[in-house]
Amino acid sequence: MEYEAVVGLEIHCRISSKTKMFCRCSNDIFNEKPNTHICPICTGFPGMLPLMNKEALEKGVRGALALGCNIPEYSKMDRKSYFYPDLPLGYQISQYDLPVSEKGNITIKKEDGTTKDIGVTRLHLENDAGKLTHTAGGSLVDFNRAGTPLVEIVSEPDMRTREEVSLYARQIQKIMRYVGTSDADMEKGQMRFDLNISLRPKGQEEFGIRSEVKNLNSFRSLEKAFDYEFQRQSEILDGGGKVVQETRGWDDNKEITTSQRSKEEAADYRYFPEPDIPPIIITKEMIEEIKKGIPELPEAKVQKYIEMGLSEIDANNIAADSHLAEYFEKAFGISGDAKKTSNWLLSELLGLIKADGLSISDSKLAAENLGKLVKLIVEGAINGKIAKDIFGEIYSNNLDPEKYVEEKGLKVMEDTGELERICQEVIDRNPAIVADYKGGKEKAIGGLVGQIMGATKGSANPKSVNEILRKLLSN
Ligand code: ADP
Ligand code: MG
Ligand code: ZN
């Protein structure tokens, strides 16, 4: 039988705040000596009160906004009880029914060029547990990680292939880093995945029974676990069996998943509201404030630029560099023509900047002046050829193109009476060329056009010159 996978991911990212979620211990714990970043709060001494870390909360909300999530005004923390030696409080402080955000989505771009939206069910806040190390002499516990802040990002079961799973996970990492919610460095244990995967016969609507592979800590193991589970579950189904809903672990050496506990044995977390932490209230004003700190994501910029009329390649080139994007948007604000602005920016301006060994952020020419130059071209006040001729000087001295063109008299000659007079003069001076043209040599007219462009210092519109000449010569 041919099967299709259905996958939802739960992704944990360590929030990059200075201190832990509910105490003042440092959150910078990588490679630190065990149990050197702990206090009575994160190790759960009786009578200690946790206090919500504002930086961690704001960074969490920032990440949620970047995933397009709604931020309800009211949310709260809950206790999720379970007993394990690395969990000193006997419960994790997490969010159950009222998370800090919900209903977002992100777009992934596939190898074949198509895109797909993956729903984000929620992003919520929680704290991490400590870490156990098992040795021959016994198990050791390090509480440095206990109480460090996490965002958990739960997806809808929207992924169907390994490629989609991998792209979604990478995109989440990119977004968390871009907006500064998490460094999401997997080498440092700052990002982990739980893979929920079920199979269904191709064409069937209804989802199959899933297994959940916990704590995958690299993209590679995520992809390998997908392959392994796809194979394992297909074999069970082909053999007429049923997949058991269960939690499985990943063995990085053997590259297999192993059963940890089935649904029947699942822990009863006894969720209830955390009584020691007041509800989280996030007002519209706070959201606006947090939004101000979020840069527009490159993908959003690319989309916007394409809608403005840029080619996909140009849009990607500009959006990839935030300085270039800023310059482009400023110049476009003045010129009003996205395509021409990007052409001038990417070929003419960057050409000169690179020749000077500089980069866009130290461009001699202000974005406003590039915008003004393009505007003159768009309005037909100067032609492209003149614009190119004068660009070097404008660039080197950061000149205002409007003033420059005015002073040098380079504006396109709009007075057709004057232009006709010049055309007639040139015709009168060149009887030989006129004879050639009238004798059937169409191309001879070029000689006249050249002289007229010279006489007008290039300010005439060659198309108008051609039309006037043909009219005069047909008499
Ligand atoms: P739990 O609380 O047991 O972890 P959730 O309903 O919160 O269960 O789902 C956890 C993850 O599993 C989500 O990412 C969700 O999209 C995914 N999921 C739910 N049902 C399925 C299924 N049948 N196959 C694959 N993934 C699923
Ligand atoms: Mg789960
Ligand atoms: Zn502490």
Side-chain angles (χ1 to χ4, degrees), residues 6-10 121 154-157 196-198 207-210 212 245:
V6 171
V7 170
L9 288 185
E10 292 160 274
T121 316
V154 183
S155 85
E156 290 293 300
N196 295 269
I197 174 168
S198 62
F207 290 166
I209 298 167
R210 73 183 141 124
E212 176 174 6
Q245 184 169 344

Side-chain angles (χ1 to χ4, degrees), residues 110-124:
K110 300 209 266 179
E111 190 76 40
D112 65 7
T114 61
T115 59
K116 180 170 175 179
D117 282 357
I118 308 291
V120 173
T121 316
R122 58 196 270 167
L123 171 153
H124 69 247

